[in-house]
Amino acid sequence: MKFRNLALVLAAALVLAACSSLPQRPGAGLWHGGRLFIATGNSTGVYYSIGGGYADLISKHLPGYEARAEPTAASGENIQRVSSGDMDIALTLADVAADAHAGKGPFEGEPQKIVALARVYKSYIHLVVRKSANINKFSDLRGKHVSTGSVGSGADIVSSRVLSAGGLNPDTDIVRKRLSLAETTRGMQNGTLDAFFFAGGLPTPGISDLLNSSPGGFIVLPLNSLLQPLTHRYGSVYGGAKIPKAAYDTPTDIDTIAIGNLIVVSPDMPEQLAHDLTKVLFEHQAELGEVHPEGNNYDKGSAPQTDPIPLHPGAARFYRNG
């Protein structure tokens, strides 16, 4: 009996040895099997362009990993999907991320599990009006049909704040429409919308296409007069900025309000992967800049300034040691 048991043990050992010598399947030992999903935004926005470019960089330069950019309703949805584990990486406005981390605003009582890899380029708040709607100043929005962005988007959140800062109730003083950028530009062209808000990098492809479709038919209005009441209520996450005339071939620069953008991930992401994803952003930044000009507009000095969102330890190690 002892010999029989010994034979069984030896046989089992041989099987295990054989299995261990078999080649590993692609992605074995990698987080999520080596497949990463990036939550971006509207398909005609800058998040989608930058997210797609970042996905290509990861697939090209991070051995074993393949990344794919997914269109979404942007910031709010992106954070929820990273926090739930449905997405791995997300782009988000810094103000939305701050609310999500603290469990405030649209995330009231439900803090989201996110950490940051980097602060990247800025998003500029656009207020675009149809010239024939006779909107010459901010208060003229009263009673007009206005798109404030997709439900759950950063644009929808910040437009509510801007409207309130300008003395307009976003739910009663305008005819509010919560539409994607593609739906919004169609509405502007067919006359069912009078104006819209959008937060995006420069230039935002969907806005460029709209303005070029009818030169002089649409106007980008300044918003700088609302910066003081906005920062008084919501803090210094917002800052003054100019949309240069070269961005959309406008007659002059346009004074507006800007917000930082963050790349966020789950705190559960492995430390080495977070380090390597951050490294890719900087070692191959020139390639991202070829995808969209905003890919050039971040640097290693300001990128770790993600407060109040903590840096992932892997990203923090990159900024310390490279």
Side-chain angles (χ1 to χ4, degrees):
M1 181 63 71
K2 289 181 179 179
F3 289 109
R4 182 170 181 273
N5 289 341
L6 179 60
L8 290 172
V9 170
L10 289 172
L14 287 170
V15 170
L16 287 172
C19 288
S20 66
S21 67
L22 291 173
Q24 296 291 300
R25 64 175 175 82
L30 300 175
W31 201 52
H32 295 176
R35 299 201 64 181
L36 300 176
F37 293 90
I38 303 176
T40 62
N42 289 194
S43 60
T44 57
V46 178
Y47 275 5
Y48 189 69
S49 298
I50 291 290
Y54 189 27
D56 290 343
L57 294 185
I58 293 167
S59 300
K60 182 178 178 182
H61 299 294
L62 203 56
Y65 282 96
E66 179 183 341
R68 189 171 80 185
E70 296 289 333
T72 67
S75 298
E77 179 187 332
N78 291 356
I79 287 172
Q80 290 175 328
R81 295 181 74 175
V82 164
S83 185
S84 69
D86 184 46
M87 290 280 169
D88 304 297
I89 305 165
L91 287 150
T92 177
L93 293 175
D95 59 343
V96 180
D99 282 354
H101 179 65
K104 294 164 53 179
F107 306 94
E108 187 68 41
E110 297 181 354
Q112 302 292 298
K113 289 172 38 181
I114 53 170
V115 291
L117 296 184
R119 174 183 288 269
V120 286
Y121 67 95
K122 294 177 182 177
S123 279
Y124 298 75
I125 304 176
H126 297 66
L127 171 57
V128 183
V129 303
R130 189 162 43 81
K131 186 176 182 180
S132 59
N134 295 316
I135 301 170
N136 300 305
K137 56 185 183 300
F138 193 82
S139 59
D140 292 338
L141 290 173
R142 188 180 300 274
K144 301 295 187 180
H145 291 71
V146 182
S147 173
T148 58
S150 305
V151 174
S153 68
D156 192 38
I157 294 169
V158 74
S159 62
S160 294
R161 293 179 173 183
V162 170
L163 284 160
S164 297
L168 295 176
N169 185 310
D171 295 313
T172 60
D173 288 336
I174 62 170
V175 181
R176 186 175 194 169
K177 304 291 183 181
R178 287 183 162 104
L179 303 172
S180 71
L181 183 56
E183 293 170 322
T184 294
T185 55
R186 284 196 296 270
M188 293 290 284
Q189 288 171 323
N190 64 31
T192 58
L193 286 175
D194 301 309
F196 71 92
F197 289 91
F198 192 78
L202 301 177
T204 292
I207 296 177
S208 292
D209 292 344
L210 175 68
L211 298 179
N212 291 334
S213 71
S214 178
F218 304 99
I219 301 167
V220 185
L221 290 186
L223 290 169
N224 55 306
S225 64
L226 301 179
L227 179 60
Q228 192 280 330
L230 193 65
T231 54
H232 179 74
R233 293 189 190 189
Y234 300 106
S236 58
V237 69
Y238 302 106
K242 290 182 183 292
I243 299 176
K245 59 184 180 181
Y248 298 111
D249 195 24
T250 52
T252 62
D253 295 345
I254 300 157
D255 291 309
T256 190
I257 298 163
I259 322 161
N261 288 297
L262 305 180
I263 296 177
V264 298
V265 298
S266 166
D268 299 328
M269 176 177 280
E271 195 264 359
Q272 187 61 46
L273 176 57
H275 172 277
D276 294 345
L277 287 171
T278 310
K279 186 177 181 180
V280 163
L281 275 173
F282 291 91
E283 286 199 344
H284 305 285
Q285 183 175 4
E287 293 176 57
L288 194 57
E290 292 174 3
V291 174
H292 190 281
E294 293 290 13
N296 295 312
N297 293 333
Y298 60 89
D299 59 68
K300 198 173 176 181
S302 60
Q305 297 170 13
T306 61
D307 188 67
I309 313 304
L311 281 172
H312 191 292
R317 176 163 64 87
F318 169 79
Y319 295 118
R320 286 194 309 270
N321 306 323

